[in-house]
Amino acid sequence: MTQSLVTSAIPFAHTRADSVDARLDTFRPELFGKKGAIREALRGRHIHFMSITVVRGDVGEPTHLVFEMSGDGEPEAVIASVAVGLDGPILEIFDAAGIVPAGGLKDVLSKHRVRTGQGLFDTPGLDFCGTPGMTVERIEAEYALARDLRDFFDGSAVQGPPLHIFHEARAFVAGHSEHAALMTPEPLKRIADKDPERFSLKFIACLAVRGLLKFFWPVLVALGALVALATFCAWHAAGAAVGLLALVVSPMLAVGALIAVLAAVYAGLRSLEEANAPVDATLDPRVMDAISDGENLSKDTQQNHLAGISVMQPGRLRGFTLRIAFWVIGQLATYRFRPGFLGEISTIHYARWVLLPKTNKLLFFSNFGGSWESYLEDFITKAASGLTGIWSNTVGFPRTENLFFKGATDGDRFKRWARRQQQPSRFWYSAYPHLTTARIRVNAAIRQGLSTVSTEDEATSWLGLFGSKVRPDTLIETFEVQTLLYGGLSKHPYAECLALRLPQDGRAARGWLAQVEPRVSYGDEPPRDKVLILALSSHGLARLGLPQDIHEQFPAAFRAGMGSPGRANLLADTGDDHARKWLWGGPSNEIDAMLLVYAADPATLEAEVAARTTELTAAGGALAHTVTPTPLPTGPAQARENAGKSARQLVREPFGFADGISQPIVKGTRRWMRQSDAIHAVEPGEFLLGYPDGRGYFPPSPKVPAAMDPENLLPLADPAHRRGALIPNFGVSGANAERDLGRNGSFLVVRQLAQDVDAFNGFANDAAARYADHPAVPKLLDRELLPEWIGAKMVGRWKDGSSLVRFPHRPASHGGAPQRSPDNEFLFGAEDPVGERCPLGAHIRRSNPRDSLAPGSSQELGIVNRHRIFRVGRGFDAKGAHDPEEKKPGLLFMCLNADIERQFEFIQQSWAIAWQFHELENEVDPITGRGGKLGRLTIPSPNGPLHLTNMKDWVRMRGGAYLFMPSRSALRFLAYPPR
């Protein structure tokens, strides 16, 4: 239905102004009392808001009685509703003003109605509605519905999945006849209804052209006529040649003249702005008391009214720039602002600016939610340019620049100015004083959801409307995400990695999955006794019967697998590291799944592994390979090593270096809430599908047709609240929308790496002896530390985890110093740009360059963080291994990432094994790189470089896989029978 803002301004004698104000004051109880006669008279008449304000004229001008009305329907219908409902009280006000109505009240209000527009010859004005398309009847009915539903939840003990609770609530509503009409959804305008245009050059250029045609058309017409006249005269007076010349020259002169006109307008504006002097006077305390007396009238009122009367600066130019300001804001509201928002302000119900005809008074009426102070702060911080553009044309406004700038940003002066313009709201009616615009939108979404919610995901969002807000994009749905994302499970020191082959029969494979899925651990509070993590390979998804068209939506790298020739080429898995020689995961020994079992004690681990293995073999599957990580350090020895008060538990990899120190901090997790360090903070979409990445986009995720998810287990592929809407738009998706199989899932990379500890230590000792007197060896270095120093230069940290950047000559714990947590808040580029402390080719510098490639650049940090991985691996000692190939200890490397190619493979290919990383020459990662002839490391120093050469491949690849770690909903979906 059409909504109208109507202003009627009726002139009367200035001498009567005080008596009219006094008469208006007498109606306050009838306006604001719950059973007030005026309030009751306007109920049911489709009037949202109404106010009456006395606008005093200057000497020689009349004073006006100004009616501001907003209602449903066309303007004449709004006037008719007010005239019928308030004819008695308004006639009393007319009598106090000495106004003799000619005809009925409706005729008077219609006759003096102020019609505004944005053309050159219209009365300047601008209207705004914060609840477009919402009638009084609808707002009140949806409020009653939401109130009754809240009462239902308060008195109900309904439990179960969100969709079940929703259906119970829907049945409750259906049983109440007064809400029957609300079971049919009504549209609600919101940001999802349109994509606002960005402030691109194209948008600005189009805006400028439209403005030129809108406001300078008389100049353009005059210049066009002069061009035509000049061409005609030249043609007839001097012939065709001169006429053609005039046709070319005249437009150029016309353009120059237009530019001169625009320059003159701009120069005039700047001259006026520079001449303006802001007024710092405060408001008369008596007026302030009258204004304050009408604000925040009772505990039941969530709204306020503002009536402001400003005086225009003299001159036609200010009238012209006011029109421009109104038009620009109107264009932005049409093409850029979200429906119901004035810029970023969302608290206004209705507002109107109008230049009172034949006066210099600019009127502003606003019906808004919250206090005056919060309202003005919103204007200052969220819409200062718009306010400045309009009110910069009035007397006493804070100094402005180029019409739209400064001004209202001078917050304290602006608020003083606003108070001086304000008039007491003596006569003000609101149809729903207890509601804010935000609550109206939420109530509408509650009503909309009753008819359209069909999935668990939508039901969760709908239930969230009762007492909470929609989950932000970056807030992870913790209950859906497998626990491994939240850390390496240090409180579960015992672990087993089970590489599985699923039953060949798809039904049996899904039956096994249905057994194991309830035991999988989710969220950031794992069970104390044991944790199970399950991930599936591309081959495993096929075994479970995932249709080919959905399977093909998974990334190519994942589908090809780590052991494929293409991935081997990228990862340098060649020679002895070739997939054909792997113990598992290669072309002849592919796996379908990996089950990671973590436990608090050995007995629990043994029992859990035995139970899960029995289940698998009973279903027809098999255990392809087992890796047993070394138990994490516990007990007195670890307590002594961690004697420092701030020390953290140290986990060492087989070469003896502290491991797992530098990790990204995933936004939306508890760690981020506790430690939101800018260096390591990374968007959740870099590790989880279904969330925004570092560029603000949602990475591609495999989709499932709605028909394949009859139980509505999966979230919707594109729900409205993930596109920036403030509240869910349930009607956008619906029961037939695609489902998101990937949301809350991540890709798990697993690589079993055997480490030749003896060869590594032997090299460090030999190099220490060989280079003991080399000028690059620091004089401050203790000689007994030289072998560890060699290893630290290769790794980038000392064995205790302290960085070379902050501790270049000795570890932090050397010489009996208290053990402290390894430092990790350093920047390579800013603190060690040439690599004299941590070599440019060191392992940790290659794995996470931070700002090394562009020292001090926050943009570079953002780029590097796009390639971060979340490491969750553990070392293994290979004790008890029977196969000679498994005798060596090593690292069960595991990491999580949302994009295998952009994250794990990029680090390996572009940083670790890149010969010319950081402009080095013929070097690779000294720890994990495939050296061969490139087994070297340059150690810079002020005395010249030291070149470590003849390094061998200390690490050998023994098995690996790319796996997908699904969400809780996705695992349940995959366990369903054939679709």
Side-chain angles (χ1 to χ4, degrees):
M1 176 181 284
T2 301
Q3 292 160 296
S4 299
L5 278 73
V6 182
T7 303
S8 293
I10 307 168
F12 68 97
H14 182 76
T15 55
R16 300 262 190 162
D18 290 339
S19 63
V20 173
D21 277 340
R23 187 63 187 140
L24 289 171
D25 277 335
T26 64
F27 290 116
R28 178 162 295 183
E30 297 185 38
L31 281 162
F32 298 110
K34 288 186 177 181
K35 298 297 183 180
I38 295 177
R39 186 172 178 178
E40 290 300 310
L42 285 173
R43 283 193 177 280
R45 307 210 64 81
H46 311 291
I47 302 299
H48 292 265
F49 296 93
M50 178 182 173
S51 71
I52 303 177
T53 304
V54 174
V55 180
R56 287 169 166 79
D58 295 334
V59 177
E61 290 183 350
T63 290
H64 288 83
L65 190 63
V66 178
F67 290 75
E68 167 223 356
M69 301 164 279
S70 52
D72 300 326
E74 298 297 334
E76 290 303 319
V78 173
I79 290 174
S81 293
V82 169
V84 172
L86 291 185
D87 53 347
I90 291 179
L91 288 175
E92 291 184 40
I93 297 169
F94 280 179
D95 183 61
I99 299 172
V100 179
L105 177 59
K106 177 182 175 183
D107 295 334
V108 176
L109 294 176
S110 296
K111 176 183 177 182
H112 294 283
R113 177 185 157 209
V114 180
R115 293 169 172 81
T116 60
Q118 295 179 355
L120 278 176
F121 305 108
D122 294 328
T123 298
L126 184 66
D127 297 340
F128 174 78
C129 175
T131 52
M134 304 285 287
T135 65
V136 175
E137 182 180 13
R138 176 181 172 182
I139 289 172
E140 292 180 335
E142 289 175 349
Y143 164 70
L145 171 68
R147 180 195 58 210
D148 289 348
L149 277 169
R150 282 192 291 273
D151 291 343
F152 166 76
F153 286 122
D154 288 344
S156 170
V158 178
Q159 297 181 349
L163 195 57
H164 169 73
I165 298 174
F166 165 77
H167 284 310
E168 291 293 322
R170 193 177 191 281
F172 164 79
V173 174
H176 289 68
S177 58
E178 65 269 27
H179 297 316
L182 300 180
M183 300 299 288
T184 302
E186 286 285 342
L188 173 64
K189 291 185 178 181
R190 64 191 77 197
I191 190 171
D193 293 341
K194 68 175 183 178
D195 293 324
E197 290 193 26
R198 296 180 178 273
F199 274 121
S200 62
L201 289 176
K202 178 181 178 182
F203 175 72
I204 294 172
C206 289
L207 197 65
V209 170
R210 289 198 294 264
L212 192 66
L213 296 175
K214 180 79 173 179
F215 295 104
F216 290 91
W217 63 264
V219 177
L220 295 174
V221 169
L223 291 175
L226 288 175
V227 168
L229 180 61
T231 302
F232 176 80
C233 292
W235 190 292
H236 283 273
V242 176
L244 291 173
L245 179 62
L247 186 61
V248 173
V249 174
S250 297
M252 297 173 62
L253 294 174
V255 170
L258 177 61
I259 293 173
V261 170
L262 295 175
V265 171
Y266 177 74
L269 172 64
R270 291 297 296 132
S271 176
L272 291 175
E273 288 182 322
E274 291 172 3
N276 282 348
V279 177
D280 288 340
T282 57
L283 186 63
D284 185 320
R286 291 172 299 178
V287 179
M288 185 67 202
D289 286 343
I291 291 173
S292 300
D293 190 45
E295 290 180 351
N296 305 317
L297 286 168
S298 74
K299 64 181 181 179
D300 297 324
T301 303
Q302 299 297 315
Q303 302 167 359
N304 273 301
H305 178 258
L306 191 154
I309 304 172
S310 309
V311 177
M312 288 289 295
Q313 295 186 35
R316 293 182 180 275
L317 182 57
R318 279 303 186 179
F320 181 66
T321 54
L322 177 67
R323 295 175 186 275
I324 292 177
F326 280 149
W327 180 81
V328 169
I329 295 172
Q331 292 294 296
L332 294 177
T334 302
Y335 298 107
R336 181 168 174 79
F337 297 162
R338 290 173 284 183
F341 284 66
L342 188 61
E344 291 300 315
I345 298 176
S346 62
T347 57
I348 303 175
H349 292 270
Y350 286 86
R352 166 170 260 203
W353 283 272
V354 56
L355 184 62
L356 194 58
K358 300 180 181 179
T359 75
N360 60 355
K361 303 299 187 297
L362 178 60
L363 311 183
F364 175 64
F365 301 106
S366 180
N367 303 275
F368 61 93
S371 68
W372 181 91
E373 188 69 32
S374 67
Y375 182 53
L376 267 290
E377 282 296 320
D378 274 352
F379 267 125
I380 292 166
T381 58
K382 298 178 181 179
S385 295
L387 297 186
T388 300
I390 293 172
W391 279 313
S392 63
N393 300 288
T394 63
V395 174
F397 193 75
R399 192 182 300 276
T400 63
E401 187 174 278
N402 295 324
L403 189 62
F404 291 97
F405 302 103
K406 295 188 177 180
T409 58
D410 188 351
D412 290 339
R413 280 194 172 87
F414 170 68
K415 284 192 281 188
R416 281 191 177 191
W417 175 89
R419 277 300 194 194
R420 292 198 306 272
Q421 317 308 305
Q422 192 172 350
Q423 300 295 303
S425 296
R426 305 180 189 279
F427 187 107
W428 172 57
Y429 165 80
S430 170
Y432 33 85
H434 51 287
L435 291 177
T436 62
T437 52
R439 190 67 243 174
I440 290 171
R441 295 183 189 109
V442 169
N443 292 345
I446 290 172
R447 183 262 186 90
Q448 187 183 28
L450 275 178
S451 300
T452 54
V453 166
S454 59
T455 69
E456 292 285 357
D457 189 47
E458 287 185 313
T460 299
S461 294
W462 187 80
L463 291 171
L465 296 172
F466 296 89
S468 67
K469 297 179 70 175
V470 175
R471 297 176 72 88
D473 289 336
T474 53
L475 186 60
I476 297 172
E477 294 171 343
T478 307
F479 54 90
E480 280 284 321
V481 180
Q482 293 197 43
T483 302
L484 193 60
L485 179 83
Y486 299 98
L489 297 165
S490 60
K491 294 182 180 179
H492 299 75
Y494 302 92
E496 196 86 18
C497 171
L498 310 177
L500 313 179
R501 293 194 185 96
L502 300 183
Q504 293 189 11
D505 178 70
R507 187 179 296 274
R510 289 187 290 275
W512 169 81
L513 181 59
Q515 279 185 297
V516 75
E517 185 280 321
R519 298 181 173 90
V520 173
S521 301
Y522 305 93
D524 55 2
E525 294 185 2
R528 293 185 177 181
D529 56 344
K530 60 182 180 292
V531 171
L532 265 67
I533 301 298
L534 179 62
L536 300 162
S537 71
S538 175
H539 194 261
L541 289 173
R543 278 277 172 90
L544 289 167
L546 189 69
Q548 185 68 19
D549 59 335
I550 300 173
H551 190 271
E552 289 176 354
Q553 296 179 46
F554 280 87
F558 168 75
R559 287 186 284 121
M562 187 186 293
S564 66
R567 303 346 279 179
N569 181 54
L570 291 173
L571 302 173
D573 289 338
T574 56
D576 288 344
D577 296 306
H578 198 281
R580 290 192 301 270
K581 299 183 180 183
W582 292 355
L583 300 172
W584 61 277
S588 61
N589 48 20
E590 284 185 315
I591 67 166
D592 299 320
M594 182 163 285
L595 189 64
L596 303 174
V597 185
Y598 300 86
D601 57 77
T604 301
L605 177 67
E606 183 179 357
E608 190 66 21
V609 169
R612 303 290 76 79
T613 303
T614 300
E615 284 177 351
L616 179 67
T617 54
L623 185 61
H625 188 77
T626 301
V627 179
T628 304
T630 306
L632 298 181
T634 57
Q638 181 64 23
R640 286 195 299 273
E641 186 169 10
N642 292 340
K645 185 176 181 180
S646 62
R648 53 170 282 177
Q649 185 184 49
L650 286 181
V651 178
R652 297 182 183 272
E653 51 76 53
F655 291 152
F657 290 84
D659 194 25
I661 296 170
S662 181
Q663 291 277 47
I665 302 174
V666 184
K667 292 184 179 180
T669 62
R670 291 190 181 185
R671 184 182 174 211
W672 174 71
M673 297 172 189
R674 296 191 306 266
Q675 184 187 358
S676 56
D677 181 70
I679 297 176
H680 303 292
V682 180
E683 297 296 336
E686 304 295 350
F687 300 98
L688 284 173
L689 302 184
Y691 294 86
D693 61 18
R695 301 293 186 189
Y697 293 96
F698 292 85
S701 182
K703 307 296 192 300
V704 171
M708 289 184 59
D709 184 22
E711 299 298 322
N712 296 312
L713 294 172
L714 297 175
L716 296 171
D718 192 22
H721 72 266
R722 282 177 221 148
R723 295 203 303 274
L726 297 181
I727 54 178
N729 194 355
F730 299 111
V732 169
S733 301
N736 297 320
E738 288 184 312
R739 309 297 198 258
D740 191 342
L741 180 62
R743 180 168 171 81
N744 292 308
S746 183
F747 291 100
L748 175 66
V749 176
V750 182
R751 288 168 74 82
Q752 183 179 343
L753 304 172
Q755 297 176 230
D756 195 336
V757 177
D758 293 338
F760 180 85
N761 290 336
F763 175 84
N765 290 325
D766 291 345
R770 189 183 326 136
Y771 299 115
D773 299 322
H774 195 282
V777 177
K779 301 302 182 185
L780 297 175
L781 183 70
D782 293 342
R783 296 296 98 178
E784 68 271 17
L785 280 176
L786 190 51
E788 184 178 347
W789 181 82
I790 294 291
K793 288 292 185 178
M794 296 165 66
V795 173
R797 291 185 183 272
W798 298 94
K799 286 190 174 182
D800 69 352
S802 52
S803 71
L804 285 175
V805 172
R806 299 282 174 85
F807 301 91
H809 303 308
R810 61 187 59 84
S813 59
H814 183 62
Q819 176 69 38
R820 67 177 76 186
S821 294
D823 59 301
N824 194 42
E825 309 313 313
F826 56 85
L827 291 171
F828 288 120
E831 301 179 47
D832 185 28
V834 298
E836 290 182 351
R837 297 186 173 195
C838 180
L840 302 180
H843 172 65
I844 70 166
R845 196 156 185 161
R846 283 178 176 267
S847 300
N848 177 19
R850 308 188 188 205
D851 70 330
S852 190
L853 300 173
S857 169
S858 59
Q859 183 180 27
E860 178 65 18
L861 275 174
I863 293 171
V864 168
N865 281 344
R866 290 268 289 160
H867 304 294
R868 297 290 293 275
I869 55 176
F870 192 81
R871 293 176 295 125
V872 289
R874 291 192 180 186
F876 60 89
D877 55 23
K879 292 179 180 178
H882 300 291
D883 189 330
E885 293 294 328
E886 297 185 75
K887 289 290 186 182
K888 288 184 172 60
L891 176 68
L892 183 64
F893 172 89
M894 297 190 293
C895 75
L896 294 168
N897 45 198
D899 189 321
I900 294 171
E901 291 182 85
R902 175 169 52 79
Q903 292 168 276
F904 168 71
E905 289 187 344
F906 179 93
I907 292 173
Q908 182 74 359
Q909 183 186 31
S910 300
W911 290 342
I913 61 175
W915 296 2
Q916 296 185 346
F917 170 80
H918 223 315
E919 300 181 4
L920 297 169
E921 184 176 5
N922 296 332
E923 292 188 22
V924 294
D925 190 314
I927 302 300
T928 63
R930 305 298 190 260
K933 295 181 180 180
L934 304 178
R936 60 184 288 124
L937 174 70
T938 300
I939 302 177
S941 84
N943 300 316
L946 186 160
H947 296 285
L948 297 180
T949 58
N950 299 318
M951 288 189 292
K952 303 185 184 305
D953 292 344
W954 326 112
V955 178
R956 187 178 178 190
M957 181 69 180
R958 306 307 302 129
Y962 289 153
L963 303 122
F964 178 58
M965 189 178 78
S967 68
R968 181 197 299 264
S969 296
L971 280 177
R972 290 176 177 174
F973 169 80
L974 291 168
Y976 260 69
R979 288 158 278 274

